[in-house]
Amino acid sequence: MFTPTDEKTEVKLLYVEDDVPTRDVITLMISRRFPQLTLLQAENGREGLDLYIAHHPDIIMTDILMSEIDGIRMSGEIKALDKNARIIVLSATSEMSFIIDAIDIGISHYVLKPVKFDKLANAIERCLKGIQRDRQIRQQEEHIRHMAYSDPLTGLPNRELFNELLHQSLAQAQRHNHDRHLAVLFLDLDRFKVINDTLGHSVGDQLLQAVANRLKSCCRRDRDVVARRGGDEFIILLPELDIPQEAVRVAQTIIDSFDKPFILPEHELFIGSCIGISIFPADGADVDTLIKNADMAMYRAKEQGRNRFHLYNRSMDAQAALRLTMEISLRRALKGQEFFLNYQPKVNVKTGRVVSFEALARWQNPELGLVEPKQFIPLAEETGLIDQLGEWVLRTACTQNKAWQDAKYPHLRVAVNFSPRQFLMLQLADMVENVLAETNLDPCWLELEVTEGIMLQNVENTIKTLHRLSVLGVHISIDDFGIGYSSLSYIKKLPINTLKIDQSFISDITSNPDDAAIATAVINMAQNLRLNVIAEGVENEAQARLLNSLECPEMQGYFFSKPLSAEKFPFLLHKRHWQSTSQPIHNA
Ligand code: C2E
Ligand code: MG
Ligand code: MG
């Protein structure tokens, strides 16, 4: 006899009967004869149906004539939900029409009342055998499916199952009118063969299992498919992507995750990987093409070196691809010390002295060359990397300034540019304070250059942050002043020391009366508000003279000095470079 042993093999029997004494007696007898069954009881067809939906019993035993929903109707509804449901009808009537109804519905057994328990037990026994047979078949099917579709070493889907799943996802994506993307990532381990040959196949196997787990941890558990194609090749399906770039992020996450060693029972191994990416619909619309193109892209990645990914070309336009390459390089740049600072002096034209110097970030990338801040700052802002970059710039600038002060150069303020986005960081003031403390620089030797853009977001927090810094003694300047969007009233709310007239008003100041008028207005306003004012982007003597005649006290620009490297800048501090205003202004 079939004897269920654990929860998976539990068999539930639902008994629906409105006559309580009958139900009690039969229930008692069943529980004695079939102690392995879990019994559920209902009083009528409606309750029976509710219990069926809640518990999915394997066997349903029911009376026919009951209030609300009768046994035949209930059985019909259950059969509609599960055509394999096993139903035993118990009835006092042997009327042919009832029996025909029962047969039509697909009732398994019909037992006449008064019930001869042996007959009922027999029916139950036959149901149990059927259930056992069904379960065995299902298990075998699952086993065969598992064997046929999974990789025995890693337990991941194998090539066949991957192809099948990719096929299904493509069909779905095609129904979405091509506004959904889907990516195939083809991944190959670098120098796996060396590990296999030197440490043995069992270590190689352990490594492949560890790689399988790591790949899974980089993907979305509920949607993405990580499969092993064989050897050291893995293939990943990323369905339902809003934009192709998401695939690149996953590829980068995987490559970054390979920075950490794989911990095996007796070894800690580092291994790299190369990834090729193809994207539907741009790089192919069928299983074979997408896999072939991802494979080709993987070879291109390998040609370029280790730990890389490569996109099969057509997936993105050149612009998007360049941006993405830059984004990825930018993340690496922060780790790889590819940034440095140049310093540009700000000159007081009355005294001829440098009063401050602005730190300007530079990015030297081995592949992209020297990248302009105009290119990488907006990207760093969009990706949130600006917080890290900004902190690095601040720390480097403060350290440098302190070093020059310690080397007995004149004490000057170092000006650091802060992006509006950095003001979204709630502990910005703490960060600045910490850096000042760490570098041992007196706050009065730090200047922050912020743009009017800071007033477009989280105004309250921004004002609070600036006040805290101002109280500390940090000098605050509004950069690129005049091109902003906000009304001037905000200036009164901010603890500002200096306005920097944007260079767009300076470049044509000698020929464009409008620009000259704006510069004049800013200079006058600054004087009225008792603020310092400086003109930036002063490139020639004519501009400097005009600004001087407008009583602009400070200037910055190529006319005085281009931004200089940290090595060259101190030479400029040694001497008094610029004549006082009583003398003609010229570069000494
Ligand atoms: P900015 O703060 O207004 O800096 C002035 C820019 O004008 C600098 O460009 C500087 O090299 C350039 N410049 C200086 N004098 C002249 C001149 O006489 N003529 C002309 N045509 N240009 C002059 P750079 O270094 O390319 O920086 C561009 C912008 O990038 C900066 O504008 C600033 O907004 C941003 N930036 C630079 N470094 C950082 C940084 O560390 N953090 C943040 N958040 N932004 C930065
Ligand atoms: Mg600036
Ligand atoms: Mg500026």
Side-chain angles (χ1 to χ4, degrees):
M1 201 178 68
F2 176 69
T3 44
T5 49
D6 58 25
E7 218 192 313
K8 267 193 198 155
T9 53
E10 181 195 29
V11 179
K12 291 182 206 155
L13 185 147
L14 167 65
Y15 182 19
V16 191
E17 169 66 77
D18 57 353
D19 182 60
V20 179
T22 306
R23 199 172 72 216
D24 285 349
V25 173
I26 292 186
T27 302
L28 186 68
M29 291 169 79
I30 293 176
S31 65
R32 288 214 178 128
R33 176 78 171 264
F34 301 98
Q36 75 273 30
L37 289 179
T38 304
L39 297 175
L40 305 161
Q41 298 180 45
E43 235 180 74
N44 55 47
R46 172 164 307 286
E47 212 182 293
L49 211 49
D50 289 346
L51 279 178
Y52 178 82
I53 290 164
H55 298 280
H56 295 284
D58 305 273
I59 304 169
I60 301 96
M61 221 168 74
T62 182
D63 184 25
I64 292 189
L65 296 172
M66 289 178 295
S67 61
E68 293 218 35
I69 297 177
D70 70 38
I72 293 291
R73 208 180 121 199
M74 179 196 76
S75 299
E77 293 195 19
I78 290 178
K79 277 286 184 183
L81 292 170
D82 176 10
K83 66 179 178 11
N84 295 320
R86 290 184 161 76
I87 302 177
I88 302 170
V89 165
L90 310 176
S91 173
T93 170
S94 57
E95 234 179 77
M96 217 40 205
S97 64
F98 276 117
I99 298 182
I100 287 171
D101 278 353
I103 291 171
D104 280 352
I105 292 167
I107 298 297
S108 316
H109 303 276
Y110 198 92
V111 177
L112 274 179
K113 281 183 177 176
V115 172
K116 289 200 176 116
F117 189 69
D118 275 353
K119 283 212 161 144
L120 177 60
N122 196 289
I124 295 176
E125 200 115 4
R126 281 164 60 192
C127 286
L128 288 172
K129 280 198 181 123
I131 291 165
Q132 185 187 25
R133 204 180 45 241
D134 286 359
R135 286 183 178 176
Q136 274 170 350
I137 292 171
R138 215 175 307 137
Q139 267 175 6
Q140 279 164 356
E141 277 172 1
E142 258 168 42
H143 185 64
I144 292 168
R145 197 180 141 77
H146 189 74
M147 296 278 286
Y149 283 124
S150 82
D151 166 47
L153 178 66
T154 58
L156 294 179
N158 64 8
R159 176 195 295 247
E160 282 73 27
L161 180 53
F162 181 87
N163 288 3
E164 175 61 35
L165 294 170
L166 175 55
H167 182 77
Q168 286 172 16
S169 297
L170 279 171
Q172 254 177 9
Q174 256 142 1
R175 277 200 291 279
H176 272 96
N177 262 342
H178 289 204
D179 64 346
R180 275 285 166 111
H181 302 270
L182 168 164
V184 173
L185 271 54
F186 202 111
L187 181 144
D188 183 284
L189 300 177
D190 293 330
R191 296 166 47 245
F192 176 71
K193 195 173 171 305
V194 178
I195 289 177
N196 235 359
D197 291 347
T198 51
L199 299 175
H201 286 259
S202 77
V203 175
D205 284 355
Q206 288 166 4
L207 179 61
L208 290 172
Q209 287 165 338
V211 167
N213 288 334
R214 192 158 302 172
L215 292 178
K216 279 195 282 184
S217 72
C218 296
C219 294
R220 300 168 297 183
R221 190 180 300 188
D222 52 338
R223 258 179 281 174
D224 302 340
V225 179
V226 179
R228 178 163 172 236
R229 258 181 89 80
D232 62 346
E233 283 177 0
F234 293 84
I235 190 159
I236 299 171
L237 162 63
L238 308 175
E240 295 174 43
L241 302 177
D242 291 328
I243 47 167
Q245 279 89 330
E246 286 174 33
V248 170
R249 295 218 169 88
V250 175
Q252 188 59 42
T253 307
I254 293 174
I255 285 174
D256 289 346
S257 82
F258 277 57
D259 283 351
K260 282 191 236 109
F262 290 90
I263 317 273
L264 309 182
E266 284 166 28
H267 297 272
E268 253 188 62
L269 298 177
F270 281 98
I271 192 154
S273 68
C274 279
I275 301 175
I277 307 173
S278 67
I279 288 166
F280 166 86
D283 300 337
D286 61 85
V287 171
D288 289 343
T289 313
L290 282 166
I291 295 180
K292 188 187 82 202
N293 289 345
D295 190 11
M296 270 172 56
M298 194 274 293
Y299 275 99
R300 290 288 303 280
K302 281 221 153 176
E303 281 163 17
Q304 290 164 6
R306 297 169 58 200
N307 286 331
R308 277 164 201 278
F309 67 84
H310 190 86
L311 283 156
Y312 184 79
N313 265 338
R314 274 176 291 159
S315 20
M316 275 174 235
D317 61 45
Q319 192 66 29
L322 176 69
R323 217 197 85 104
L324 211 56
T325 314
M326 242 198 216
E327 179 185 329
I328 286 152
S329 308
L330 195 61
R331 285 180 198 278
R332 290 224 186 97
L334 278 163
K335 289 191 212 153
Q337 303 177 333
E338 293 174 15
F339 288 102
F340 62 95
L341 297 182
N342 272 352
Y343 300 95
Q344 189 182 31
K346 303 181 187 183
V347 178
N348 180 315
V349 287
K350 291 214 164 65
T351 63
R353 287 190 184 279
V354 179
V355 284
S356 160
F357 55 97
E358 180 173 4
L360 293 158
R362 298 287 177 264
W363 177 22
Q364 181 70 49
N365 178 267
E367 278 142 32
L368 301 165
L370 187 66
V371 188
E372 293 275 305
K374 277 187 204 82
Q375 284 180 289
F376 69 82
I377 294 286
L379 194 58
E381 285 170 352
E382 275 170 51
T383 52
L385 289 167
I386 193 72
D387 289 342
Q388 260 174 289
L389 176 60
E391 188 170 338
W392 179 87
V393 170
L394 179 70
R395 181 170 288 112
T396 309
C398 291
T399 307
Q400 183 62 79
N401 197 15
K402 177 71 180 147
W404 281 330
Q405 292 185 352
D406 290 348
K408 306 283 180 252
Y409 287 105
H411 282 35
L412 301 174
R413 280 194 316 264
V414 63
V416 174
N417 292 284
F418 270 51
S419 290
R421 207 202 113 136
Q422 288 175 266
F423 281 81
L424 292 178
M425 191 171 148
L426 290 177
Q427 307 83 4
L428 184 67
D430 289 339
M431 189 275 278
V432 175
E433 234 181 293
N434 290 341
V435 170
L436 284 167
E438 258 172 56
T439 55
N440 213 7
L441 183 73
D442 190 309
C444 73
W445 301 119
L446 174 65
E447 174 176 341
L448 297 193
E449 291 197 10
V450 297
T451 60
E452 293 165 79
I454 54 164
M455 294 307 282
L456 293 180
Q457 68 204 3
N458 203 353
V459 179
E460 225 171 276
N461 187 52
T462 298
I463 294 177
K464 230 188 258 168
T465 303
L466 288 180
H467 273 285
R468 240 185 87 186
L469 294 172
S470 172
V471 168
L472 265 186
V474 175
H475 190 104
I476 291 160
S477 299
I478 298 286
D479 204 351
D480 306 339
F481 187 77
I483 55 165
Y485 351 72
S486 39
S487 76
L488 296 182
S489 61
Y490 74 90
I491 289 187
K492 291 197 196 122
K493 293 196 190 132
L494 298 179
I496 295 167
N497 304 93
T498 298
L499 297 181
K500 286 188 85 172
I501 308 172
D502 187 65
Q503 46 180 291
S504 61
F505 304 114
I506 308 300
S507 54
D508 295 330
I509 195 166
T510 51
S511 55
N512 185 336
D514 288 346
D515 286 351
I518 290 170
T520 310
V522 176
I523 293 165
N524 291 341
M525 185 178 76
Q527 279 167 354
N528 291 337
L529 292 169
R530 294 206 178 75
L531 296 175
N532 188 22
V533 64
I534 177 168
E536 65 178 350
V538 181
E539 291 184 341
N540 55 49
E541 190 171 339
Q543 290 165 346
R545 279 187 182 284
L546 181 64
L547 283 160
N548 195 37
S549 72
L550 298 175
E551 302 209 12
C552 179
E554 290 182 9
M555 297 181 206
Q556 180 187 19
Y558 296 167
F559 176 60
F560 301 94
S561 168
K562 289 205 162 179
L564 299 174
S565 67
E567 290 73 44
K568 289 192 183 141
F569 190 76
F571 296 110
L572 188 145
L573 292 175
H574 261 318
K575 41 191 176 174
R576 215 175 177 204
H577 270 250
W578 299 282
Q579 312 278 334
S580 77
T581 43
S582 56
Q583 306 286 317
I585 294 174
H586 67 269
N587 216 342

